[in-house]
Amino acid sequence: MKVRTLYTLLLLAISYGLFAQGGHIKIFGNVRDADDQPMDFVTVHIKGTVNGAWTDEKGYYSLSVAPGDSITVVFSCLGYTKTERVIPRATQDMRINVQMSYSTVDLAAVTVTADRRNTTQMETIDANRVKILPDPSGGSIESIVVTYAGVSSNNELSSQYSVRGGSFDENIVYVNGLEVYRPLLIRSGEQEGLSFINPSMTQNVQFSAGGFEARYGDKMSSVLDITYKQPTELEGSVTGSFLGASAYVGNSMGKFTQVTGIRYKTNRSLLGTMDTDAEYDPKFIDFQTYITYKPTTKLEINFLGNISSNNYTYIPKSRNTSFGTMDNPRTFRVSFAGNERDKFQTLYGALNVKYQLNERHEIGFQASAFNSREEESYDISGSYWLNDAASDDSENSIGFLTDANYHEHARNKLLANVAHIGIVGISHIAAAHTVKWGASVQFEQISDKISEWEKRDSSGYSLPQTGQEVSMIANLFSDNKLESRRFAGYLQDVFKFRTEQGLFTLVGGVRGSYWTYNKELIVSPRVSLGFIPNANQQLTFRLASGLYYQPPFYKELRVEVVDDNGNTVVALNDGLKSQRSLHFIAGGDYAFNRIGRNFKFTTEIYYKKLDQLNPYTVDNVKIRYYGENVAKGYIAGIDMKFFGEFVPDADSWLSLSLMKAEQTINNTTKAPIPNSHLYNLSLYFQDYFPGYKRVMLNLKGVLAGGLPVTAPRKRYEDGYRRTPPYRRIDIGLTYQLAGGDNALMDSGFLRHFKNIWLGVDVFNLLDIKNTGSYYWITDVFNQQYAVPNYLTGRQFNLRITADF
């Protein structure tokens, strides 16, 4: 009996030891793609078993196995080559890091994107397309963004865009985890210089058209998240065209990496296609450097610096514009005197310090500063005539409508300083949870001085007439200063789990902020759910909802009031509250393969309930707010995108958006929201010569519904009209002179280059006259005429790009 008992205890001890040993054998590691970026949603399993796991957003995985003989670990992800690692004998914990390669061909000039599953509201954009994209703005990430579903732009001279009916100010842009800003005084696309984002320095681009996570700031429409490069070897590029030039160089030296870029833009030739005959002298220069230092494997310090100088000189001479209909044609002629000189100078610096506490926890410190000095100065006078196009220009002609002299004057200055300090953290809890948190304080200091007026004398009568006195038709004065602080914080969790039905990704979080100027506290809960069913992994489903706020910045606070002398002055409304938008989004993807090519169809429907709105009007790209929370409304629509290889080995896509956006102002006036396109159709298409892929064709097309606009200094309560549809096709032809398997690269000077491209672009291929805004004139009978300010016409461009 004693022997049997001892034997039983011995067996139990051995079994327990083996069980304990088996339970402690862990296989873990990281999975990265061919670009050395972490890969999530990679399936990791033991071959021949159901034991498996998914990688998280850091590419980390972990699974436990019983000890034993040889096992095979399999790594698989749609769009990538399956990878296997054999462990001859599993006896102890083991780290296995894997780098997966694309399963499709990556040509030198043709980019085919692997199909990464998207279970969140963020979408990845390929920044390399900018190199061959026909872009009248001179090459920008935003030129690709506007071809995506839900995004629209009605001005090729501007890098600003509207997302699902929102204003330009409702889009937030991050570079390396910190928000970047635009100048505030810009009122036209002609003045607008370079976008902050340097595409040559960009590594990753992510974009969300709504329902984004709590870690992103308080905006109501979209987020664009940019990460700059950390080169592993010497690299660089030089580009030149009729629109300007750019160059960048990056390298790595042990613990130190840097990438530095300089850009110069001049759209003088493009502006020459407009109706106004003028001397245009736009000079836009931008310098950026991004430096990273890793003294240890756990500590990383990086710095981003930017200096931007945008100078715009405009000396108009004359203008001839024909407009109207076949039955009612009009001609508008102007003779000018005077000039406009604008200057926008910005400085930006950002410091990030990241420290890896351990394998699971990371903490970071952030600091940034932004300085903007903006000056707008013009004195332009002129004489204009408006006639029926079928008659002559004399005042005695039966077709004569009106003539006038006018004078516009402005001396506007704005100084803005914004400083930001914050702390962030990431914790990977088990294999399923990724917790992110952050807290920050922001200091704002703004000084604004405005002095502008306009006078008109129509057919010998000054407008407007007030008895015996002659008044300006409009004036505006401001002398305001604002100092304030903003406090913000967020907490969110990304929870990934599997059931028999499939993979779920649940992202939930809350964001809060407080502004000392209007003493407002806002709390913004946000949640999204993604699902990939086991029954059909070609499908992905997404749901998202959240309460999104738009805290006012300086522009939103301005209220125009008339003083005792009849002058319009700007006052600041310290009682203005944040605009609010409640998002409901449902969508999904269907990925499939036909005739050996990859395709994906994406659909999202959305509804945004809006209240506490601060209504605004738009003139070109200038937004003028009411300065009061006097409206409510809604935006509802559907976005569809068909993405794939329309031509073998070349990605293209077609996007269609339909929407209805309406607001009610002061509980009485119903009007469309200013950026409410009823429809928007955009196309990005790539092709190449059969059998000779060195010659590439790239085409970008847009067809968008017109926008509702008001007369200057008028509101929607006074009436509005819609601009004609925006229609435009830009086409580019690119030839790969050297690179890839070209024998030219093996000899002489060309051996120092990776690729050389030559390109020719035709902007506005069909030479369609698109309306950017209107110039409103009034005759002595107080009848108004809206004369369209047409955007750019057809223009040719030559470009060359060399990579080394």
Side-chain angles (χ1 to χ4, degrees):
M1 185 67 180
K2 291 182 178 179
V3 174
R4 181 178 297 178
T5 302
L6 184 61
Y7 180 74
T8 301
L9 291 174
L10 182 60
L11 285 177
L12 289 173
I14 294 174
S15 300
Y16 177 79
L18 290 174
F19 178 78
Q21 183 184 24
H24 283 83
I25 293 180
K26 183 172 70 171
I27 299 176
F28 62 97
N30 292 87
V31 180
R32 307 181 81 84
D33 63 16
D35 299 319
D36 204 36
Q37 299 300 311
M39 291 180 61
D40 56 0
F41 301 126
V42 177
T43 303
V44 184
H45 74 279
I46 305 301
K47 192 172 185 178
T49 74
V50 295
N51 184 8
W54 297 80
T55 57
D56 61 21
E57 63 180 15
K58 289 286 188 179
Y60 179 82
Y61 73 92
S62 174
L63 50 84
S64 297
V65 299
D69 295 331
S70 175
I71 61 173
T72 301
V73 185
V74 181
F75 301 83
S76 60
C77 182
L78 186 64
Y80 292 81
T81 303
K82 183 181 293 185
T83 303
E84 296 185 355
R85 293 290 185 268
V86 178
I87 303 176
R89 185 170 179 80
T91 59
Q92 59 183 0
D93 293 352
M94 181 174 295
R95 172 186 285 273
I96 300 178
N97 294 331
V98 171
Q99 189 168 41
M100 302 187 70
S101 59
Y102 300 125
S103 59
T104 53
V105 180
D106 185 13
L107 302 172
V110 185
T111 303
V112 181
T113 305
D115 184 15
R116 297 281 290 271
R117 309 310 300 272
N118 183 23
T119 58
T120 69
Q121 294 301 117
M122 300 298 292
E123 188 171 8
T124 300
I125 297 176
D126 182 11
N128 292 322
R129 298 184 191 277
V130 175
K131 291 182 178 181
I132 55 177
L133 183 72
D135 179 19
S137 68
S140 66
I141 296 296
E142 291 88 345
S143 64
I144 301 177
V145 173
V146 298
T147 65
Y148 274 57
V151 188
S152 60
S153 172
N154 275 39
N155 192 329
E156 66 273 6
L157 294 172
S158 173
S159 61
Q160 302 192 62
Y161 52 88
S162 169
V163 179
R164 292 177 175 171
S167 76
F168 308 139
D169 295 333
E170 293 176 21
N171 307 312
I172 192 168
V173 179
Y174 283 87
V175 175
N176 298 327
L178 286 165
E179 184 180 358
V180 296
Y181 301 88
R182 298 176 182 270
L184 300 176
L185 284 183
I186 287 177
R187 56 186 171 83
S188 70
E190 293 92 317
Q191 294 173 303
E192 190 175 318
L194 292 154
S195 162
F196 182 95
I197 306 163
N198 188 328
S200 298
M201 298 170 60
T202 299
Q203 178 68 45
N204 294 319
V205 182
Q206 288 193 305
F207 175 76
S208 173
F212 43 89
E213 303 168 9
R215 64 191 173 106
Y216 294 113
D218 291 302
K219 296 287 186 179
M220 291 201 303
S221 288
S222 76
V223 59
L224 181 62
D225 192 357
I226 306 294
T227 303
Y228 275 0
K229 295 177 179 178
Q230 294 185 14
T232 57
E233 60 182 4
L234 178 65
E235 62 176 59
S237 178
V238 179
T239 300
S241 75
F242 289 165
L243 299 178
S246 66
Y248 92 95
V249 63
N251 71 305
S252 175
M253 296 181 293
K255 300 177 180 180
F256 171 86
T257 68
Q258 70 83 29
V259 58
T260 299
I262 185 169
R263 294 177 291 168
Y264 170 73
K265 173 184 172 182
T266 175
N267 50 8
R268 180 185 304 174
S269 61
L270 198 61
L271 297 176
T273 65
M274 302 175 73
D275 284 349
T276 301
D277 178 22
E279 294 181 19
Y280 295 98
D281 189 19
K283 295 179 181 178
F284 310 127
I285 301 174
D286 173 90
F287 174 83
Q288 292 188 35
T289 185
Y290 179 54
I291 302 170
T292 301
Y293 177 60
K294 297 180 180 179
T296 69
T297 56
K298 292 186 175 183
L299 179 62
E300 177 182 315
I301 304 170
N302 61 62
F303 172 78
L304 172 64
N306 169 254
I307 300 174
S308 177
S309 177
N310 299 330
N311 295 289
Y312 175 73
T313 300
Y314 168 63
I315 306 175
K317 297 179 180 178
S318 64
R319 169 179 171 174
N320 286 278
T321 299
S322 299
F323 66 103
T325 64
M326 293 289 291
D327 297 329
N328 194 20
R330 298 281 188 264
T331 59
F332 180 65
R333 297 191 305 112
V334 188
S335 295
F336 295 101
N339 62 77
E340 176 179 353
R341 300 181 187 277
D342 305 323
K343 182 183 296 184
F344 305 92
Q345 294 182 331
T346 61
L347 303 173
Y348 179 82
L351 177 69
N352 268 298
V353 179
K354 301 177 185 178
Y355 183 71
Q356 194 82 30
L357 298 173
N358 51 47
E359 192 176 71
R360 293 288 188 175
H361 302 283
E362 178 182 297
I363 193 170
F365 170 79
Q366 298 177 329
S368 67
F370 169 77
N371 170 265
S372 180
R373 295 178 180 271
E374 307 174 27
E375 297 181 8
E376 185 181 46
S377 173
Y378 57 81
D379 268 296
I380 297 177
S381 60
S383 300
Y384 63 74
W385 298 264
L386 179 66
N387 283 70
D388 188 311
S391 64
D392 59 50
D393 295 338
S394 67
E395 293 190 17
N396 296 322
S397 169
I398 191 172
F400 172 77
L401 297 176
T402 187
D403 65 350
N405 299 313
Y406 77 97
H407 189 178
E408 296 178 346
H409 166 93
R411 295 292 186 271
N412 301 331
K413 293 184 179 181
L414 185 140
L415 173 64
N417 293 294
V418 179
H420 173 98
I421 299 174
I423 185 171
V424 296
I426 302 176
S427 295
H428 300 280
I429 303 174
H433 292 270
T434 300
V435 176
K436 298 182 179 181
W437 58 270
S440 65
V441 59
Q442 183 166 292
F443 305 90
E444 299 167 359
Q445 188 180 64
I446 297 174
S447 174
D448 179 30
K449 291 186 177 182
I450 296 176
S451 176
E452 59 184 49
W453 50 261
E454 179 182 356
K455 179 183 177 181
R456 292 189 191 177
D457 179 9
S458 180
S459 297
Y461 295 91
S462 294
L463 296 175
Q465 300 180 65
T466 56
Q468 300 298 317
E469 297 181 1
V470 176
S471 303
M472 298 295 175
I473 191 172
N475 62 18
L476 185 66
F477 301 98
S478 172
D479 187 1
N480 289 301
K481 293 184 178 180
L482 173 66
E483 293 188 6
S484 64
R485 296 182 301 279
R486 297 180 195 261
F487 301 91
Y490 68 88
L491 176 66
Q492 75 170 48
D493 180 27
V494 180
F495 177 37
K496 298 179 182 179
F497 60 95
R498 287 192 302 170
T499 68
E500 294 181 356
Q501 287 71 39
L503 170 69
F504 291 84
T505 301
L506 177 64
V507 182
V510 62
R511 183 179 189 89
S513 67
Y514 177 78
W515 193 25
T516 60
Y517 184 73
N518 65 358
K519 298 178 174 57
E520 181 187 27
L521 173 67
I522 58 176
V523 179
S524 173
R526 308 173 188 180
V527 64
S528 67
L529 178 66
F531 172 58
I532 302 176
N534 285 332
N536 188 348
Q537 294 196 11
Q538 292 177 298
L539 294 172
T540 303
F541 299 97
R542 292 182 298 275
L543 295 172
S545 184
L547 188 60
Y548 293 82
Y549 286 89
Q550 179 89 12
F553 199 61
Y554 178 74
K555 280 197 304 184
E556 290 95 317
L557 295 172
R558 300 196 296 191
V559 181
E560 297 180 8
V561 297
V562 179
D563 64 13
D564 296 337
N565 297 318
N567 296 315
T568 304
V569 297
V570 174
L572 301 183
N573 181 6
D574 60 3
L576 185 70
K577 301 302 180 183
S578 299
Q579 301 180 82
R580 186 165 57 188
S581 175
L582 180 59
H583 290 199
F584 299 96
I585 302 170
D589 305 331
Y590 174 54
F592 58 97
N593 186 282
R594 292 291 185 272
I595 58 175
R597 306 179 199 171
N598 294 319
F599 296 92
K600 183 169 70 172
F601 181 70
T602 298
T603 301
E604 283 195 348
I605 57 175
Y606 60 90
Y607 178 83
K608 298 194 284 188
K609 182 180 181 297
L610 312 173
D611 61 0
Q612 298 182 186
L613 290 183
N614 181 3
Y616 62 93
T617 59
V618 180
D619 183 11
N620 202 303
V621 298
K622 184 174 182 176
I623 297 176
R624 191 184 297 269
Y625 288 93
Y626 284 32
E628 300 174 293
N629 302 110
V630 294
K632 60 184 178 181
Y634 70 90
I635 303 175
I638 181 171
D639 295 333
M640 294 170 284
K641 178 182 175 184
F642 184 46
F643 175 94
E645 298 176 59
F646 298 174
V647 175
D649 300 329
D651 282 349
S652 302
W653 60 83
L654 178 69
S655 301
L656 173 63
S657 300
L658 305 173
M659 80 160 73
K660 183 176 182 181
E662 191 174 76
Q663 60 184 336
T664 301
I665 304 172
N666 289 316
N667 294 319
T668 57
T669 303
K670 286 191 175 182
I673 289 175
N675 281 303
S676 58
H677 297 274
L678 300 177
Y679 59 89
N680 189 83
L681 179 68
S682 58
L683 169 69
Y684 175 78
F685 178 74
Q686 289 188 110
D687 198 0
Y688 53 83
F689 276 74
Y692 194 67
K693 295 182 179 180
R694 290 187 176 278
V695 180
M696 282 288 301
L697 179 142
N698 291 270
L699 182 147
K700 186 175 78 169
V702 177
L703 171 62
L707 297 175
V709 296
T710 65
R713 297 165 294 278
K714 299 292 184 180
R715 296 183 169 187
Y716 282 99
E717 297 93 312
D718 303 312
Y720 64 91
R721 65 179 296 167
R722 280 191 179 268
T723 62
Y726 182 82
R727 300 156 294 166
R728 186 179 179 91
I729 295 177
D730 298 320
I731 191 170
L733 199 65
T734 303
Y735 172 64
Q736 188 183 13
L737 175 65
D741 57 357
N742 194 333
L744 286 173
M745 302 297 291
D746 298 330
S747 60
F749 177 72
L750 294 180
R751 71 179 186 275
H752 300 291
F753 295 91
K754 295 179 181 178
N755 295 287
I756 299 177
W757 288 280
L758 297 178
V760 57
D761 302 320
V762 183
F763 302 135
N764 197 357
L765 177 67
L766 304 181
D767 200 25
I768 296 173
K769 289 183 175 293
N770 289 305
T771 301
S773 60
Y774 289 99
Y775 184 80
W776 297 78
I777 60 177
T778 307
D779 62 18
V780 293
F781 303 105
N782 207 32
Q783 181 177 351
Q784 282 193 324
Y785 300 89
V787 181
N789 295 317
Y790 291 125
L791 295 169
T792 60
R794 184 188 295 120
Q795 176 69 19
F796 293 88
N797 180 50
L798 294 177
R799 53 187 164 83
I800 181 171
T801 300
D803 295 335
F804 58 88

